[in-house]
């Protein structure tokens, strides 16, 4: 088994880690070596936390990262991978160009897991010569600590690909919940409404971010509040996903909160910039 993970951002780092942790060789691809250097540094840093939180990770040390995660800016070795897991930004032109490259560089039998937030799996699969080999696998953040993955069946996704995805996730101790294809699927059609409305509550001065998140955590029993979650995901990613949902459904309930967009324009992107609804 060999896996390629494309996109070395927050999600890509964690996805690469969970497969390397069970002894699967991972090609981690991004556009620049500097991005990959930062990614590997963050994977090693995150491992310290995961070792305390996840019993199965306690025996791991940094050497396994160098042994099983292979950074690259090229497609060398992609003809040998069984699965490609894609985590690039939610921009259609970027995805269209990427899947054109993948079709030219990967084996015809390779399967594709699209770790997208909102873009239709059917639309992405239509770019490929074997659309039946494409499935959505929406990993939850932080990936190593979330036991469930939302799997999205596109129009052409085959039963064989669904079963192969289930087997792939079993290797990393993840349970798969299968849903049908629709922009945002289940998780993000719900979660982005929560995050967006929480931003409106801040904008309208109904409550401070900490109070809003406390109500979710203490009142509803959620592990994280919607604004903490938005900061973790990245406010730019949340805003982009809301735009995709709005464009897809033409429903005003997905209109991005002006405060949220203003924060993105100001570079307040959450954890990755050091400041969002909270300071880090």
């Amino acid at each position: 088994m060999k896996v390629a993970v494309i996109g070395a951002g927050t999600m890509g780092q964690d996805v690469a880690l969970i497969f390397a942790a069970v002894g699967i060789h991972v090609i981690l691809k991004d556009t620049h070596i500097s991005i990959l250097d930062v990614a590997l540094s963050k994977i090693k840093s995150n491992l310290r936390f995961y070792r305390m939180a996840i019993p199965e990770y306690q025996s791991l040390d940094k050497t396994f990262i160098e042994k099983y995660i292979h950074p690259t800016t090229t497609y060398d070795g992609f003809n040998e991978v069984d699965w490609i897991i894609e985590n690039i930004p939610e921009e259609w032109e970027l995805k269209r160009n990427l899947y054109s490259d993948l079709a030219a560089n990967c084996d015809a039998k390779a399967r594709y897991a699209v770790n997208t937030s909102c873009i239709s799996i059917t639309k992405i699969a239509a770019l490929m010569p074997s659309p039946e080999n494409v499935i959505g696998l929406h990993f939850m953040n932080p990936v190593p600590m979330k036991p469930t993955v939302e799997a999205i069946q596109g129009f052409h996704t085959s039963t064989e690909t669904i079963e192969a995805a289930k087997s792939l996730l079993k290797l990393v101790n993840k349970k798969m919940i299968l849903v049908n294809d629709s922009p945002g699927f289940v998780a993000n059609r719900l979660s982005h409404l929560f995050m967006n409305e929480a931003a409106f509550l801040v904008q309208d001065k109904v409550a401070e971010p900490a109070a809003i998140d406390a109500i979710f955590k203490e009142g509803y029993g959620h592990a994280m509040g919607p604004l903490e979650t938005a900061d973790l995901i990245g406010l730019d990613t949340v805003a982009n996903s809301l735009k995709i949902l709005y464009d897809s459904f033409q429903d005003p309930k997905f209109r991005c909160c002006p405060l949220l967009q203003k924060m993105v324009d100001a570079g307040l992107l959450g954890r990755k910039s050091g400041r969002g609804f909270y300071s880090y």
Side-chain angles (χ1 to χ4, degrees):
M1 169 69 69
K2 198 170 187 179
V3 171
V5 174
I6 301 181
T10 301
M11 293 299 290
Q13 293 162 21
D14 273 359
V15 171
L17 173 60
I18 63 171
F19 285 100
V22 296
I24 294 174
H25 286 276
V26 179
I27 298 175
L28 180 61
K29 184 184 185 305
D30 214 303
T31 52
H32 298 289
I33 195 66
S34 59
I35 296 173
L36 292 163
D37 288 342
V38 170
L40 290 173
S41 177
K42 287 186 176 179
I43 291 171
K44 292 176 182 178
S45 176
N46 290 341
L47 178 61
R48 290 197 296 269
F49 169 74
Y50 293 138
R51 286 180 65 187
M52 292 186 290
I54 304 171
E56 294 83 358
Y57 281 33
Q58 290 176 2
S59 62
L60 299 176
D61 59 32
K62 294 179 182 179
T63 59
F64 90 91
I65 295 173
E66 297 168 359
K67 181 177 180 180
Y68 290 107
I69 300 179
H70 312 285
T72 185
T73 59
T74 74
Y75 289 100
D76 289 347
F78 270 65
N79 61 323
E80 299 175 354
V81 302
D82 303 286
W83 277 94
I84 297 93
I85 304 175
E86 178 262 299
N87 309 270
I88 71 170
E90 297 288 275
E91 297 178 23
W92 175 245
E93 287 302 313
L94 289 178
K95 290 191 184 289
R96 184 165 63 179
N97 293 335
L98 171 65
Y99 282 92
S100 175
D101 290 341
L102 291 172
N105 286 279
C106 297
D107 187 88
K109 295 180 181 178
R111 300 188 193 273
Y112 299 84
V114 187
N115 188 18
T116 185
S117 296
C118 293
I119 295 176
S120 164
I121 303 304
T122 300
K123 185 176 181 179
I124 291 174
L127 300 171
M128 304 303 287
S130 299
E132 67 274 14
N133 289 349
V134 180
I135 190 171
L137 289 184
H138 178 213
F139 291 85
M140 308 297 171
N141 197 352
V143 177
M145 299 183 67
K146 299 294 184 179
T148 302
V149 175
E150 181 184 34
I152 304 98
Q153 179 177 0
F155 183 84
H156 294 291
T157 305
S158 67
T159 301
E160 291 78 12
T161 296
I162 294 170
E163 290 304 312
K166 190 180 296 184
S167 297
L168 177 73
L169 293 173
K170 189 175 181 179
L171 293 174
V172 290
N173 301 311
K174 304 291 183 192
K175 173 187 174 183
M176 186 176 93
I177 297 178
L178 186 66
V179 303
N180 291 320
D181 189 24
S182 178
F185 326 122
V186 173
N188 282 317
R189 278 180 68 173
L190 289 171
S191 66
H192 281 66
L193 287 174
F194 285 136
M195 290 184 285
N196 199 40
E197 193 61 29
F200 272 110
L201 289 169
V202 176
Q203 176 180 279
D204 296 345
K205 301 187 186 305
V206 176
E208 293 295 319
I212 295 167
D213 284 339
I215 288 172
F216 256 70
K217 292 186 290 186
E218 298 173 29
Y220 295 152
H222 289 222
M224 294 181 70
L227 298 174
E228 290 173 315
T229 303
D231 272 2
L232 178 64
I233 294 170
L235 303 191
D236 53 339
T237 301
V238 174
N240 286 340
S241 295
L242 284 166
K243 182 179 186 305
I244 293 167
L245 289 166
Y246 182 82
D247 291 345
S248 298
F249 295 108
Q250 294 295 299
D251 191 326
K253 71 184 179 185
F254 294 115
R255 179 177 66 91
C256 182
C257 172
L259 173 62
L260 179 57
Q261 186 60 57
K262 184 178 181 179
M263 292 174 71
V264 171
D265 293 342
L268 308 182
L269 308 181
R271 286 183 177 272
K272 61 185 173 184
S273 71
R275 185 179 168 195
F277 287 100
Y278 301 91
S279 295
Y280 301 92

